[in-house]
Amino acid sequence: GQQLNQSPQSMFIQEGEDVSMNCTSSSIFNTWLWYKQDPGEGPVLLIALYKAGELTSNGRLTAQFGITRKDSFLNISASIPSDVGIYFCAGQEGGSEKLVFGKGTKLTVNP
Amino acid sequence: DAGITQSPRHKVTETGTPVTLRCHQTENHRYMYWYRQDPGHGLRLIHYSYGVKDTDKGEVSDGYSVSRSKTEDFLLTLESATSSQTSVYFCASGRGGPGKNTEAFFGQGTRLTVV
């Protein structure tokens, strides 16, 4: 099946720092989604991207749909302790109905 | 967020027994998905449905079957549970398919332990 490569696997940062993570695929995707998961909870949708080059913000979060349609980036500015969690990218390959996920980036924010 | 509930939330079962997990959504979403989450593997798609009685396999479908007799309900069955199926199972639902309204909304998860 389609593999999404998400990096880094984990990040340890200080409160106030900016964070960047990315996701790549071996084929062209039509949709990129970014989710956050808190412990014991289901993933929650943060941002949805549908067009190559699209840049979308949600508060301190900004995500971009790569121009090649094979990657996407998520940036978090001025991190705070409640940003702690696992961030997942997800996407749909062109013509597919399957929604596949990356392995996640675990974010730890030190106060 | 979509009104999506999973039951049970926790279950312990013995190897070789059948198990059915239930997912119920109140948003009239066409698409529904079952994932399993394991450390180091992220979320892996088991099966999905694109309409009543319309289902297809995901990347880890062996040992699992699904049924969707109504728009709001999607059942995942482990015909004969094995220890390798110990996992957290998530259901999700969404409006659209390829390239449109693809956002999927998740339930709270079911923690299944096979002993």
Side-chain angles (χ1 to χ4, degrees):
Chain A
Q2 174 59 241
Q3 294 285 323
L4 289 184
N5 299 309
Q6 188 172 350
S7 64
Q9 289 185 345
S10 61
M11 303 182 74
F12 297 84
I13 62 171
Q14 294 297 125
E15 183 176 356
E17 290 183 353
D18 297 342
V19 172
S20 184
M21 59 191 78
N22 69 83
C23 201
T24 61
S25 66
S26 57
S27 59
I28 290 174
F29 271 45
N30 286 338
T31 301
W32 286 100
L33 307 173
W34 286 93
Y35 287 82
K36 182 192 178 196
Q37 185 180 31
D38 292 326
E41 303 290 328
V44 174
L45 181 67
L46 299 173
I47 294 177
L49 302 161
Y50 292 104
K51 295 180 181 179
E54 181 180 359
L55 185 71
T56 297
S57 294
N58 179 4
R60 293 178 295 105
L61 278 62
T62 301
Q64 185 165 22
F65 193 138
I67 292 175
T68 65
R69 299 173 66 189
K70 293 184 178 182
D71 56 9
S72 181
F73 304 87
L74 176 70
N75 296 315
I76 305 173
S77 62
S79 59
I80 59 178
S82 63
D83 290 334
V84 166
I86 302 177
Y87 291 79
F88 290 99
C89 63
Q92 275 190 331
E93 190 177 359
S96 172
E97 296 175 309
K98 298 177 182 178
L99 185 62
V100 295
F101 281 73
K103 293 184 178 181
T105 296
K106 184 175 183 179
L107 179 64
T108 301
V109 180
N110 297 315
Chain B
D1 286 351
I4 183 165
T5 55
Q6 294 183 229
S7 61
R9 292 294 311 279
H10 302 271
K11 185 171 181 65
V12 179
T13 192
E14 294 186 350
T15 299
T17 61
V19 177
T20 295
L21 307 183
R22 291 172 170 78
C23 181
H24 179 79
Q25 53 105 353
T26 59
E27 300 297 317
N28 199 34
H29 285 164
R30 179 184 174 192
Y31 283 77
M32 296 186 76
Y33 309 85
W34 276 107
Y35 294 88
R36 61 178 289 174
Q37 185 173 27
D38 305 288
H41 291 278
L43 290 155
R44 292 183 291 175
L45 182 64
I46 305 172
H47 283 280
Y48 68 99
S49 169
Y50 47 96
V52 173
K53 298 185 179 180
D54 292 323
T55 65
D56 205 350
K57 296 179 179 179
E59 55 190 311
V60 289
S61 59
D62 288 349
Y64 301 95
S65 63
V66 290
S67 66
R68 193 164 177 206
S69 59
K70 297 186 292 185
T71 298
E72 56 266 35
D73 294 323
F74 194 32
L75 305 182
L76 176 70
T77 297
L78 290 65
E79 301 292 345
S80 178
T82 67
S83 58
S84 65
Q85 293 177 312
T86 292
S87 186
V88 180
Y89 291 85
F90 285 99
C91 176
S93 71
R95 286 193 303 270
K100 57 174 182 178
N101 298 323
T102 310
E103 297 95 336
F105 301 92
F106 281 80
Q108 295 282 71
T110 295
R111 183 173 294 277
L112 177 67
T113 302
V114 183
V115 298

